[in-house]
Amino acid sequence: LVGAGAATIGGTPLASLLALPYLGLCWIGRDARGDAGRRLYRAFLVANVLIGAAITLARFEGNVFRATRTAHHIKSRARTTIVAGNRIEDGPNGTASYLVETPNGGDLLVLDNVLHKGPLTGHPQVAISVGIEGASNPTETLIFQGNRFLSDSPEDTVFVRNATTAPAILIGNRLTGRVSALTGPGEVRP
């Protein structure tokens, strides 16, 4: 994580959050022993993942979310959401709206994912949406780093739409297609 030495979520250094093998309230990814071969959840069904507001931390790591047919691949109302090392893709037939949405804001780290919006997406204008329903969760840290994003939509697509007042920091993301990096407060770094 570039420049994350001072970055924290809820007072905890980001590096510490990423290093822990299991973080309590909601964790979708490797099992509690860190066994990458066994998955707690794979979302290539006709559903999405919805995390409610009662969750303090939602962590998605090392999963495949493919061809979701309704709503969003990941929608989290958690106070902190970490999405790291996943494949989140519509494919040729997926009709999902957003790849990731945190409608009430909250701290968000999206790191080293492979992301794809397909030609049939239900919402071609935006890939990742933050705070669009009102930032009722405290939002201090919004980092999007090292992701590869491809849009097959014939329409212009925004990679990150930030509707909070916290600045989104985009670092080293590779964007392909008719894509602009950011709308809303923040900065894009190489």
Side-chain angles (χ1 to χ4, degrees):
L1 187 60
V2 175
T8 63
I9 293 180
T12 302
L14 286 177
S16 296
L17 289 173
L18 292 173
L20 293 174
Y22 179 78
L23 290 171
L25 298 178
C26 175
W27 184 53
I28 297 175
R30 293 185 186 98
D31 68 10
R33 297 177 319 218
D35 182 355
R38 295 180 59 204
R39 303 288 185 216
L40 297 176
Y41 183 87
R42 289 186 184 221
F44 45 89
L45 306 172
V46 183
N48 60 348
V49 178
L50 172 62
I51 303 299
I55 301 295
T56 301
L57 172 66
R59 179 175 168 181
F60 302 87
E61 181 181 342
N63 296 287
V64 175
F65 296 84
R66 182 175 294 133
T68 298
R69 300 274 179 174
T70 78
H72 315 305
H73 288 278
I74 296 173
K75 182 172 186 171
S76 175
R77 296 183 189 279
R79 291 189 61 171
T80 299
T81 302
I82 299 172
V83 180
N86 300 284
R87 291 188 70 87
I88 305 171
E89 50 195 27
D90 288 339
N93 300 314
T95 59
S97 182
Y98 301 123
L99 300 177
V100 177
E101 182 188 27
T102 57
N104 303 120
D107 293 328
L108 176 60
L109 173 64
V110 179
L111 175 66
D112 297 327
N113 298 284
V114 175
L115 307 164
H116 171 251
K117 274 188 100 56
L120 302 179
T121 178
H123 196 296
Q125 298 86 2
V126 177
I128 299 173
S129 180
V130 181
I132 198 66
E133 293 179 17
S136 56
N137 285 332
T139 307
E140 297 176 7
T141 305
L142 299 172
I143 297 176
F144 305 84
Q145 182 174 333
N147 299 289
R148 290 181 291 155
F149 173 62
L150 166 66
S151 176
D152 285 334
S153 173
E155 298 184 38
D156 293 335
T157 302
V158 173
F159 178 52
V160 175
R161 174 179 60 190
N162 179 13
T164 74
T165 59
I169 307 300
L170 282 67
I171 306 168
N173 297 290
R174 292 190 308 182
L175 310 178
T176 305
R178 294 180 57 173
V179 180
S180 59
L182 174 66
T183 60
E187 64 180 289
V188 179
R189 301 178 190 166

